[in-house]
Amino acid sequence: MALTLTGVAAAVPTGPAPRAPAAVRQTLADAAVSGQGELRFLGLHVYDARLWVAPGFEAETFERHPLALELRYYRAFRGAVIAQRSLEEIHQQARVAPAQAQHWRTLLAQVLPDVQAGDVLTGLYLPGQGLQLWRGDQRLGSVEDAELARRFFGIWLSPRTSQPALRRALLGQQAPEAP
């Protein structure tokens, strides 16, 4: 059974700028929030997402820029389920050979933890290198596979994402006008 998730756009907050997670401050010292949004499934709030980018970031070439994606969970999930769902999303964007998908699922399952409501995970994307994953100030691990990292962050940032409204919100873009 395939899950259909719905992204909901949210404006970048006004007022004082949110404080970047420690991992973001260490890696992307001059990063700022590009945008944020939420993901819902059958009306249930799954997580809030916030995208941190450095000056000069361009959405069309996101894979060339270091960035961070912060997710605040409102539901509990097993890490293995998150890894499996991530591979399904990656596969929806572009086919992945079965052996490659199994290898990537294994790599993701090694760093994606079980999460509880209130947990905040931050993924750092490092172009040409891979990704790092943090829970709060605790580094959970890294994946040194540049292609997997690019495709993983494409779940949220690729024009072929299954959640275009959430992508627009993360990129700080307005939703298209209704005809």
Side-chain angles (χ1 to χ4, degrees):
M1 176 174 86
L3 296 178
T4 303
L5 302 173
T6 304
V8 177
V12 175
T14 57
R19 182 165 166 79
V24 175
R25 292 190 314 271
Q26 292 170 6
T27 307
L28 303 169
D30 53 353
V33 173
S34 170
Q36 61 186 27
E38 64 183 37
L39 185 75
R40 291 183 173 270
F41 173 65
L42 298 176
L44 299 175
H45 196 172
V46 177
Y47 60 71
D48 287 340
R50 182 179 287 159
L51 180 64
W52 295 89
V53 299
F57 174 79
E58 296 178 358
E60 302 78 30
T61 57
F62 79 87
E63 68 277 357
R64 296 182 188 169
H65 304 273
L67 55 87
L69 184 68
E70 179 184 1
L71 301 178
R72 175 176 300 279
Y73 284 87
Y74 288 84
R75 302 265 175 253
F77 293 99
R78 291 184 44 235
V81 171
I82 298 170
Q84 176 61 36
R85 182 66 191 152
S86 296
L87 259 293
E88 291 169 7
E89 288 289 328
I90 287 170
H91 190 74
Q92 277 185 263
Q93 293 178 32
R95 184 147 165 56
V96 179
Q100 185 68 56
Q102 180 58 42
H103 176 65
W104 284 353
R105 185 180 305 106
T106 300
L107 291 175
L108 289 173
Q110 290 172 353
V111 296
L112 289 167
D114 295 347
V115 295
Q116 301 299 317
D119 282 351
V120 178
L121 298 184
T122 303
L124 295 174
Y125 173 65
L126 306 168
Q129 297 174 36
L131 65 89
Q132 296 177 3
L133 191 64
W134 298 72
R135 181 188 338 229
D137 293 340
Q138 175 193 12
R139 184 177 170 170
L140 299 173
S142 61
V143 174
E144 295 178 8
D145 184 319
E147 180 64 12
L148 171 55
R150 182 184 69 77
R151 302 276 298 270
F152 180 75
F153 283 88
I155 291 170
W156 295 271
L157 300 175
S158 168
R160 293 185 305 267
T161 182
S162 66
Q163 300 300 316
L166 179 57
R167 177 183 185 265
R168 284 190 301 272
L170 289 171
L171 296 173
Q173 301 171 348
Q174 294 289 347
E177 295 286 327

